[in-house]
Amino acid sequence: MDSLKCMRRKLLSILPLLLISFSAFAGDFGKSGLSILPSPCLGYSTNHGTQYGANVTIIDFGDGSFYPNYKQKIYLEATKYTKGKTSLKAVYDSGMLIPDFRFSAIIAYQSNPLYRFYGFNGSATPYDPSLDLKNDIAYYNFGRRIFKAAANIQHKITDGLNWVAGVNFVKYGIETVSDRFTSDPSNTLYHIYKEAGIIRSNEAEGGQRLEFNTGIVFDTRNEYTAPSSGIWSELYLTGSPDVFNDSYRYLKLSAHFRHYLSLIDEERLIFAYHLAYQGTIAGEAPFYVQQSINELIYKKTVSEGLGSKNTIRGTLNNRFVGDSYAWANVELRIKLFSFNAFKQSFYVATNPFIDFGAIVKPFRLNAERGSELYKAATKLHESVGIGAKLVMSRNFVASAEIAKPLQKDDGKFGFIMGMNYMF
C-alpha cells in the first residue's frame, strides 16, 4: 500500500511540471502500410493486483489516405494478474473487410478465482471492508470463468449515420471461491444469497447466453482512437431468447452519447463527455449478466459495471448491480507535448475527470419506491481523478489513471494501468 501511495504521489506531482515545461509540438508522421506494435503488459489494478503479460497491435493504414484512421486493426493480448485473474483475447476491427460495411469481432476467455460480488443494489447492501479479502476471508468473492465470441456489422444510412446488427455468445461458469483463498468457502455473500434463494438454482452456476443486437450509430469523430472533435452516439437493443432452456429471456436498451470538443489550438485542450444508460425493458435477466455493459466496438474482454474502470473509475468492481443504470463521465484531455522517435509520432497527455452514476431500477429488491432502502439502492455515486496517456501514431494509447470515490462505502481509491481512453 505504501508503494502504491508513492506511485500516486509521483504521478500527481509530475503532471503539472510537464504541463509547464513542454509547449513545443513536433510534427505528425503520416502513416501507410502495416504497423506492428508489440508491447509487454505491465499494469496495476487495485481490484486485481499487478498485471503481467504481452500484447501486440497490428494496424493496416493502407496507402495512408485513411490516417489517423485505418483500414483494419487487430489486437491480441495474453495477461495474468497476481490475484489470479487470467485474460486472453483477440479483437478485430475493419472498414474494408466487407465492402461498405464496418465489421468488428472479439473472441476472449477470462478466468478470475476472486471475482468481486458485493450483492445487489449498491448501498442497499451494506459493505464491511473488514470482510474484503482480509484475515483469510473472501466474503465478497466467487470464482468465475467466461468465454465470449461476438461480432457486429455497421452500414451507412447517410453521412455519419449507420445501422448496426450483431450477435454475442457468452458462456459463464460460477463456483464458490476456492479454499486456497479462504478458510471457510461457505462464508461468502454469494453462498448466503444462494441459500436464501436470492440467487436461484437455475443461475447459481452460471449459464450460456445468445444475444442479438440491433440499432443505430451516429459517428462524426475525426478519428477513432483519440478524437478531438465530433459526436459518437449509439442507440440499440440487445435481446436474448431462451435458447438454452433456463427460463430467462430479456430485452435491454443501451444508449450512449459521447461528445468531443476542441477548446484550444484544435487539439491542445479537449473537453470530452459521455452520457450512458443501460436497462432491462422486457423480460428478466439472470444475475450473472446484470453487471455486463454491452458494447458495439470491443475494447475489453468484458466491459462491466456499474463501478470500477468501465463506468465510475476508482469504485469497487461491480459494487452497484441493478436492473438498469445511468452514468456519465466528464474529462479534460490536455496534450502536454509531442515528439517524434523511431519514425513514429508520439504525444503525452493528461486527463482530469469526474465520473458519476446510479442504479435507476433495482434488481430483486423487496422495497417500495420512496422507502429508505429504495433510496439507498438508487443514490448517486461519484469519483474524481486524473490520468496520464502516452499516444503513439494516434492509435496506440498507454494509460494510467488514479481515481478517488467520494463516498467511503464505494472504495478507497483505484489505480488503473492499461490501454486506451475510457471513451
Side-chain angles (χ1 to χ4, degrees), residues 348-365:
V348 175
T350 182
N351 61 312
F353 58 83
I354 180 170
D355 300 332
F356 46 94
I359 295 169
V360 296
K361 181 183 176 183
F363 181 62
R364 297 179 186 172
L365 181 68

Side-chain angles (χ1 to χ4, degrees), residues 86-106:
T86 299
S87 181
L88 307 170
K89 67 179 174 181
V91 182
Y92 179 75
D93 184 40
S94 173
M96 304 296 163
L97 180 68
I98 307 173
D100 300 322
F101 285 84
R102 184 175 184 183
F103 175 78
S104 300
I106 184 172

Side-chain angles (χ1 to χ4, degrees), residues 88-158:
L88 307 170
K89 67 179 174 181
V91 182
Y92 179 75
D93 184 40
S94 173
M96 304 296 163
L97 180 68
I98 307 173
D100 300 322
F101 285 84
R102 184 175 184 183
F103 175 78
S104 300
I106 184 172
I107 184 167
Y109 171 79
Q110 189 180 92
S111 174
N112 190 350
L114 290 172
Y115 185 78
R116 298 299 182 100
F117 177 69
Y118 295 98
F120 303 148
N121 306 311
S123 297
T125 302
Y127 168 61
D128 183 351
S130 69
L131 300 176
D132 203 348
L133 285 176
K134 294 180 180 179
N135 302 319
D136 203 22
I137 297 174
Y139 184 76
Y140 294 112
N141 301 88
F142 58 71
R144 191 190 74 165
R145 301 176 308 280
I146 183 170
F147 171 80
K148 178 179 181 179
N152 68 66
I153 55 172
Q154 296 186 34
H155 186 62
K156 180 179 177 181
I157 300 173
T158 186

